[in-house]
Amino acid sequence: MNKTLCALALLSLVLCNPIQAQKTKKKKSKETTESVSKPKSNNGIKPYTKVITKEAVSDEGVFTIHRIAEDYFYEIPFEQLNKDMLWVSRIAQLQNGLGGGYVNAGSKTNEQVVHWVRFRDKILLKSKSFVNVADSTKAISNSVKVNNYEPTLHAFDIKAFNADSSAVVIDVTKFFTSDIAAISGLSARLRKDYKVKKLDGSRSFINSIKSFPQNVEVKQDFTYDASEPPSFRSTQSISIQMNQSMILLPEDPMQPRIYDPRVGFFTVSQYDYGSEALKADRKTYIRRWRLEPKNPEAYARGELVEPIKPIVYYLDPGTPENLQSYIKQGIEDWQKPFETAGFKNAIIAKDVPTKEEDPEFSPEDIRYSVVRYVASTTRNAVGPSVSDPRSGEIIESDIIWYHNHLRSYRNRYLLETGAANPSARTLNTSEEEIGEMMRMVIAHEVGHALGFPHNMAASYAYPVDSLRNGAFTQKNGIAASIMDYARYNYIAQPGDENIRFVRQMGPYDHYAVNWGYRWLSAENADAERPTLNSWVLEKADDPKYKFGRQTSRFDPQSQTECIGDDPIKASTYGLKNLKYVAANLPSWTSDVTNDYQDLEELYGELLGVYSRYAGHVTNTVGGVFENIKTPEQEGPVYSNFNAAGQKQAIKWLHANIFETPEWLLDKAILQNIDHAGYFEKVRRLQVRQLNSLLSFERLGRLIDAESLNESYYSAMEMLVDLRNGLWKETLRGTSVDLYRRNLQRSYVDRMAYLMTEEQQPNRFGRPGFEGQIAYNTKSSDVRALVRGELKALKTKLKSAKNGSINRETRYHYEDVIARIDAIFEAG
C-alpha cells in the first residue's frame, strides 16, 4: 500500500510540474551528450586521489598535466571535449644526415585537426577533416558525417574523475612512448631507406609535457633499431626528438577570404554539400594571419592602426651574431606592404627571451613563430606555416635558413653579376653585400609564411633594357615582387652604372598584401567579393600586378630564375656576361687561393647557370601565355607565343647551345679540376635542351596551335628547323667533331623515344582551372612527323657518308643509319 501511495505521489508531482520535468529531461540529455555523468559501474575507474597521488607534479593549462615518476596523466575538462584542436608534429632534434638534407630541427612532419571524445568509459583521440562540409541545419549534413567517419588515433581508458566531476583523467604515457604513425617523425620512405626495424622502448621516453592556456607541448625522445642509419652506422640506431603541439582552434573562426586565382595565395579548400549548386561546391579560401585593427573607426578613416595581435618572429638563438640584424630587416621589410593595407607595426622581429625573462619559452611551442638557423650543409631556405582548415587562418610558421645557403648566394653573385659588378669578383664577398642578399632571402621566405606562393610573372614586368638603367633598378629593383625567383641582375653589362644587382620588395607585394589583408567590415566572405574584384580589375592591365603560377611550365612569362620581358634578349645578355666570367674564373679563384677547389665548384655551378639561360629560350618554343581572367575582362586566358619569336628561339639555340661551346672548353679550368669527362659535361647540357624541345608535351602544344587556326609555328616546321641545324654538316659535306657526334646520336635516341614511348599524363590544377595535359600519341601527328624526319635524315646521311669526310664521321653516319633502321624495325 505504501508503495502504491508513493507511486501516485510521484506521478502527481510530475503531472503538476511538467516544466520542471522537461528541464530535468533536457538536463539529463545534455549531460549524456556531453558525457559529464559518471558511469554506473567503475570498470577500473578509481577515486581521483588513488590515481593523482600526493607525489604528482601538476601543471595547469588548457589541460592539467600530472607527472608521477615516469608516468603522465591528462586531466581533461569536459568543457574541452569535442573542441577542435590543431595538432602539429615537429622534429625538435635529429641525427645528422636524417632525410638527406631537407629534414632539420623544426621540420613539420604532420599537421591535423583532432578532438577528444567521450565514449563510455574511454576517451577517444580522433582526427578530424574539414574537406567535406555542410550546414549542420541541413539534412545532408548527416550524410556528410556518416560518409566521412573520423579515424581514431588512440583510445584511452578513463582512470578517474576529478572531485567535482568536471574533468576526466587519462594516462597518456603509453601513447607518447609508442610508435604512432600519425605523429611520428619517420615517414614510410625514411623507414624503408634506413631499414628501420622497430622502436626500442627501453631507449624511448617522454622528455617533458607542458600545459599552457591554449596549448599543450610534448617532447618525446625516440630511438629506433635501424640496419642502415644515416650516421653513426656502428650504433645501428636512429635517435630523434619529437615535439607534439596541440592548440585550441578559435571558438570563432576568422572570416575567410575567398581565393581569386588572379592574386597569388596559398589556400585551403572545402567541398560544401549544402550548397545550392547542383554539385558539391568547392570553396577555396586564402591562407593568411588574422589581422584586425585595434581601432576600427580610425582604420575606417584611413589612418594607420596597429593590429590587435601583430605577427611576431623570434630569432633562433643559434643565429650568428653578424647576421642577426639582416634577418630582422628581412622580416620587418614587410611592414611597408602592411602599411599599404592600413596596418602599422603589423610584423615584428624579436630576440628569443632569456631564461630569466621566460623560462618556459621553446622554439617548438606552437604559440611562437621562429626564424630557425640550421647548422646544415643544405643550400636552401623555406617558409612553411600551419593554418586553420576551417578559415585559412595561419596559426604559426617557422622560417628555416640552412647555413650553407650563404655560399650559394656568394657563388651566384659572382657568376651572374661578376662581369658588370667588380665587387662580385671575389670569394670574399663583403659582409654588407652578403647581409643584403640574406635579408632579401629572409623577406622572400617570410612572404611564403604570410601566405604568398612564388609569383613567377613578376620578373616579366620590366623591359629587359630597363634592367641596364641604374636609376630604374635602384627604384624598382629587378622584378615586381620579392616572391619571384629573380635573385640577381644578370642582364646589366660592363660599363652600366649605379646598377642594383640584388632583388628587393616590389609593387606587387604591396598590392597582394592589401588585397589579402586589408580589413573589410563585410558581413561575410561573399559580401567582400565585389570589392576584392574591383581591386583586381583596377590593376588588370598593368604587368607589375600580374600573378604567374610556378607550375605554368608552358608560360614564357612565368619562368623561374628569369628576368626581363624578352627571354631571348635576356639570355643573350646573360650569356655574354657568363663568357666574361668563365674567362676570368681562374684569376678570381685558384690564382688567389692557390687551390683548385673553389674553381671546380664554381665551374660546375657556371654550367648550371648556362643551362638556365638556355632553358628560358627553349620554353618560348610551343610557349603559351597564361593570363588568368574572368569573363568580364577582354581577351583570352591562353594565347600562343608568336611564331617569329619561336623560330628565333630555335636559331638562338643552334648558335648558343648546339654549336660546340668552345668558350667552356678552357684547358686552364678543365685540366685542373678533373682527369676526364669533358665531352660528357657538354653533352648533358645540350641534351637537356634537346630533350625538352623533343617532348610530347611541347610537340602537343605546337600541334594545338595549328588546330586553333592561328598564326603558328608548326610542329613540322620546328622539327625541320631542328634537324637542319643539328645535321648541317650533311648539307656542307664537312666532318663532324666529337661534341657534335655525341649530340647527333642523342638526337636519334630522343626520336626513338618519341616513336616508342607513351606520354604520361601530368595534372596541373588549381581551383577553377584544371586540365589533363595529355593526348594519344599513337593517333596524333607526333609519330608520323618523327618517322618522316628520320627518313629524311637517313637519305641525307646516305649521301653525306660518301663525301670528303674523315673516317670518324663516316663511321658515325653509318652507325646512325643503323640506329634509324632499328627504330623502324621496332616500330
Side-chain angles (χ1 to χ4, degrees):
M1 185 66 179
N2 288 339
K3 288 182 180 180
T4 303
L5 289 173
C6 287
L8 290 171
L10 180 59
L11 178 61
S12 174
L13 180 62
V14 170
L15 291 174
C16 292
N17 196 354
I19 295 176
Q20 183 62 42
Q22 290 174 19
K23 284 185 177 179
T24 303
K25 183 177 181 181
K26 184 175 181 181
K27 183 177 180 181
K28 183 177 180 181
S29 175
K30 183 177 180 182
E31 288 179 348
T32 304
T33 302
E34 295 185 356
S35 304
V36 175
S37 60
K38 292 184 181 180
K40 294 180 179 179
S41 61
N42 286 334
N43 289 341
I45 299 175
K46 300 178 180 179
Y48 183 81
T49 55
K50 294 293 184 180
V51 178
I52 308 303
T53 63
K54 294 180 180 180
E55 288 73 28
V57 177
S58 301
D59 182 20
E60 293 185 2
V62 62
F63 294 174
T64 299
I65 310 302
H66 304 284
R67 179 186 173 190
I68 304 173
E70 298 305 316
D71 294 331
Y72 286 85
F73 298 85
Y74 278 8
E75 184 174 324
I76 306 174
F78 282 115
E79 66 180 12
Q80 301 296 9
L81 291 180
N82 301 306
K83 287 190 176 180
D84 295 330
M85 296 180 167
L86 187 65
W87 189 301
V88 180
S89 302
R90 292 187 189 278
I91 296 174
Q93 298 188 60
L94 74 166
Q95 204 161 305
N96 180 43
L98 184 72
Y102 285 93
V103 178
N104 53 266
S107 288
K108 179 179 65 176
T109 60
N110 197 18
E111 174 185 341
Q112 59 191 318
V113 176
V114 301
H115 59 167
W116 302 81
V117 178
R118 168 81 182 275
F119 176 71
R120 297 176 183 165
D121 294 337
K122 293 183 182 294
I123 296 294
L124 308 180
L125 176 61
K126 287 185 146 309
S127 185
K128 188 173 183 178
S129 172
F130 289 91
V131 172
N132 299 312
V133 298
D135 187 331
S136 61
T137 64
K138 296 184 177 182
I140 197 171
S141 65
N142 295 305
S143 180
V144 171
K145 182 177 180 180
V146 299
N147 285 287
N148 293 270
Y149 189 58
E150 301 163 351
T152 300
L153 301 181
H154 199 79
F156 302 85
D157 291 330
I158 294 175
K159 298 297 182 181
F161 296 91
N162 68 349
D164 62 358
S165 296
S166 64
V168 62
V169 176
I170 60 173
D171 186 342
V172 297
T173 312
K174 181 180 178 182
F175 176 70
F176 284 120
T177 54
S178 299
D179 193 11
I180 308 294
I183 61 172
S184 172
L186 290 183
S187 65
R189 180 184 66 81
L190 293 180
R191 291 168 189 263
K192 182 179 178 181
D193 289 347
Y194 302 132
K195 292 183 169 52
V196 174
K197 300 174 184 175
K198 63 180 178 67
L199 179 70
D200 185 348
S202 66
R203 292 183 288 167
S204 301
F205 51 89
I206 299 171
N207 186 291
S208 66
I209 302 183
K210 298 178 181 179
S211 189
F212 303 95
Q214 297 294 315
N215 60 301
V216 175
E217 303 293 327
V218 181
K219 271 195 170 65
Q220 310 155 280
D221 274 83
F222 286 154
T223 295
Y224 295 86
D225 291 332
S227 300
E228 297 182 9
S231 55
F232 300 98
R233 292 295 182 93
S234 62
T235 66
Q236 297 281 283
S237 301
I238 293 175
S239 288
I240 187 172
Q241 186 178 88
M242 291 297 298
N243 191 93
Q244 309 293 343
S245 296
M246 184 189 70
I247 186 168
L248 277 171
L249 287 174
E251 290 276 359
D252 181 21
M254 178 186 72
Q255 179 165 296
R257 183 153 293 179
I258 296 173
Y259 170 66
D260 187 322
R262 297 170 294 179
V263 187
F265 271 89
F266 294 124
T267 62
V268 297
S269 294
Q270 300 175 345
Y271 287 96
D272 184 2
Y273 284 85
S275 168
E276 297 300 322
L278 300 178
K279 64 174 184 177
D281 194 9
R282 182 174 181 175
K283 294 183 176 179
T284 302
Y285 307 122
I286 68 172
R287 293 176 60 180
R288 57 178 181 154
W289 296 80
R290 182 185 291 212
L291 289 186
E292 298 167 338
K294 285 183 178 178
N295 186 336
E297 292 78 16
Y299 187 91
R301 292 194 299 268
E303 298 175 25
L304 289 181
V305 175
E306 290 187 341
I308 295 172
K309 183 180 179 182
I311 304 163
V312 178
Y313 279 96
Y314 292 90
L315 262 64
D316 190 322
T319 305
E321 292 80 359
N322 63 320
L323 298 176
Q324 292 179 9
S325 63
Y326 300 110
I327 294 176
K328 289 179 179 178
Q329 286 178 318
I331 296 167
E332 295 187 348
D333 277 339
W334 284 96
Q335 287 190 356
K336 289 296 183 183
F338 276 112
E339 288 178 6
T340 301
F343 292 101
K344 65 179 179 180
N345 300 323
I347 183 166
I348 301 168
K350 289 185 177 182
D351 292 319
V352 166
T354 64
K355 289 291 184 184
E356 291 73 23
E357 292 170 332
D358 186 354
E360 299 290 338
F361 184 90
S362 168
E364 284 75 40
D365 189 332
I366 198 168
R367 294 175 299 166
Y368 305 118
S369 296
V370 180
V371 178
R372 294 172 173 273
Y373 197 97
V374 180
S376 167
T377 57
T378 298
R379 296 187 180 186
N380 201 6
V382 295
S385 63
V386 297
S387 60
D388 184 342
R390 303 170 303 174
S391 65
E393 178 185 354
I394 296 174
I395 303 297
E396 178 268 356
S397 77
D398 281 353
I399 310 299
I400 312 296
W401 174 278
Y402 299 93
H403 178 71
N404 276 23
H405 204 32
L406 289 169
R407 192 172 181 93
S408 294
Y409 275 83
R410 181 208 68 178
N411 289 358
R412 293 278 296 273
Y413 192 53
L414 184 152
L415 294 170
E416 296 185 31
T417 77
N421 180 14
S423 68
R425 301 168 188 169
T426 177
L427 297 174
N428 298 311
T429 311
S430 71
E431 182 178 302
E432 182 181 354
E433 288 173 291
I434 287 289
E436 177 67 6
M437 297 173 210
M438 185 176 196
R439 172 184 175 181
M440 293 303 139
V441 181
I442 292 297
H444 177 95
E445 301 306 336
V446 169
H448 287 319
L450 295 174
F452 303 119
H454 292 132
N455 177 8
M456 293 309 183
S459 53
Y460 202 82
Y462 299 151
V464 168
D465 284 324
S466 294
L467 301 177
R468 297 187 60 189
N469 183 296
F472 181 90
T473 59
Q474 292 296 340
K475 178 182 178 181
N476 301 288
I478 60 176
S481 172
I482 194 71
M483 299 314 298
D484 201 321
Y485 268 172
R487 304 174 203 269
Y488 296 115
N489 186 345
Y490 60 79
I491 286 172
Q493 297 293 292
D496 294 345
E497 297 179 352
N498 193 33
I499 298 295
R500 180 171 177 86
F501 290 100
V502 180
R503 60 183 168 175
Q504 65 183 28
M505 305 286 285
Y508 174 86
D509 303 313
H510 289 256
Y511 162 69
V513 169
N514 183 71
W515 190 93
Y517 280 92
R518 179 164 285 278
W519 186 71
L520 299 174
S521 55
E523 183 179 351
N524 54 48
D526 285 321
E528 293 183 345
R529 298 184 77 172
T531 300
L532 297 172
N533 183 56
S534 69
W535 292 346
V536 175
L537 294 179
E538 285 174 9
K539 308 292 189 183
D541 296 324
D542 191 332
K544 294 193 298 294
Y545 303 104
K546 174 181 167 55
F547 172 67
R549 299 183 301 136
Q550 185 176 6
T551 53
S552 299
R553 300 188 304 173
F554 51 83
D555 188 349
Q557 65 190 336
S558 296
Q559 298 198 68
T560 181
E561 313 283 359
C562 186
I563 61 174
D565 64 350
D566 184 340
I568 298 173
K569 191 173 187 179
S571 289
T572 300
Y573 278 134
L575 186 53
K576 185 178 179 181
N577 284 339
L578 206 57
K579 290 178 180 179
Y580 179 96
V581 171
N584 289 279
L585 204 54
S587 64
W588 297 347
T589 58
S590 55
D591 291 356
V592 177
T593 63
N594 196 33
D595 188 294
Y596 290 118
Q597 184 175 344
D598 289 298
L599 176 63
E600 181 178 3
E601 180 180 324
L602 281 159
Y603 181 77
E605 293 191 28
L606 182 145
L607 298 180
V609 174
Y610 175 43
S611 181
R612 281 195 294 274
Y613 293 166
H616 298 156
V617 177
T618 299
N619 286 338
T620 65
V621 180
V624 179
F625 291 123
E626 180 182 62
N627 295 299
I628 303 170
K629 300 178 179 182
T630 53
E632 66 185 312
Q633 296 173 256
E634 294 182 358
V637 173
Y638 296 101
S639 58
N640 296 100
F641 193 79
N642 68 84
Q646 294 183 62
K647 195 172 184 71
Q648 182 189 358
I650 293 294
K651 185 177 179 180
W652 190 96
L653 290 169
H654 279 308
N656 295 289
I657 304 299
F658 300 142
E659 282 288 335
T660 303
E662 300 288 348
W663 62 277
L664 281 177
L665 306 176
D666 187 343
K667 291 182 180 179
I669 298 176
L670 294 178
Q671 290 184 319
N672 289 311
I673 64 174
D674 213 334
H675 73 290
Y678 314 135
F679 67 84
E680 182 59 21
K681 284 183 172 67
V682 173
R683 190 196 72 84
R684 283 200 298 264
L685 282 168
Q686 295 174 323
V687 168
R688 181 173 184 177
Q689 304 310 319
L690 178 67
N691 288 352
S692 182
L693 283 172
L694 296 174
S695 68
F696 286 118
E697 192 174 329
R698 195 176 307 280
L699 290 169
R701 292 200 300 271
L702 289 167
I703 294 169
D704 273 334
E706 181 180 353
S707 72
L708 292 172
N709 297 316
E710 295 183 356
S711 174
Y712 61 91
Y713 183 51
S714 70
M716 174 176 282
E717 190 174 359
M718 187 276 282
L719 289 171
V720 170
D721 286 347
L722 185 61
R723 171 172 55 83
N724 285 340
L726 291 178
W727 299 89
K728 64 182 181 181
E729 293 88 351
T730 64
L731 303 174
R732 298 174 182 175
T734 56
S735 297
V736 187
D737 69 24
L738 168 66
Y739 296 94
R740 293 282 290 181
R741 295 198 298 268
N742 287 334
L743 175 61
Q744 289 171 356
R745 279 189 287 266
S746 295
Y747 166 85
V748 175
D749 288 345
R750 187 63 177 180
M751 297 293 268
Y753 167 83
L754 294 174
M755 283 290 292
T756 58
E757 298 297 324
E758 295 291 334
Q759 186 200 9
Q760 297 301 312
N762 295 313
R763 191 170 184 83
F764 303 102
R766 69 193 185 289
F769 292 83
E770 298 182 4
Q772 192 84 3
I773 303 174
Y775 56 93
N776 189 315
T777 54
K778 292 180 181 179
S779 62
S780 75
D781 281 346
V782 171
R783 288 188 176 155
L785 292 172
V786 171
R787 187 182 300 274
E789 282 300 292
L790 288 175
K791 283 185 175 181
L793 175 58
K794 181 179 176 181
T795 301
K796 291 289 185 183
L797 291 173
K798 283 184 175 180
S799 175
K801 75 184 181 68
N802 297 319
S804 55
I805 55 177
N806 62 22
R807 184 180 299 177
E808 288 88 349
T809 301
R810 184 173 294 108
Y811 288 170
H812 167 60
Y813 286 168
E814 290 173 349
D815 175 65
V816 172
I817 290 170
R819 289 176 183 231
I820 293 173
D821 288 340
I823 294 170
F824 289 156
E825 289 173 7

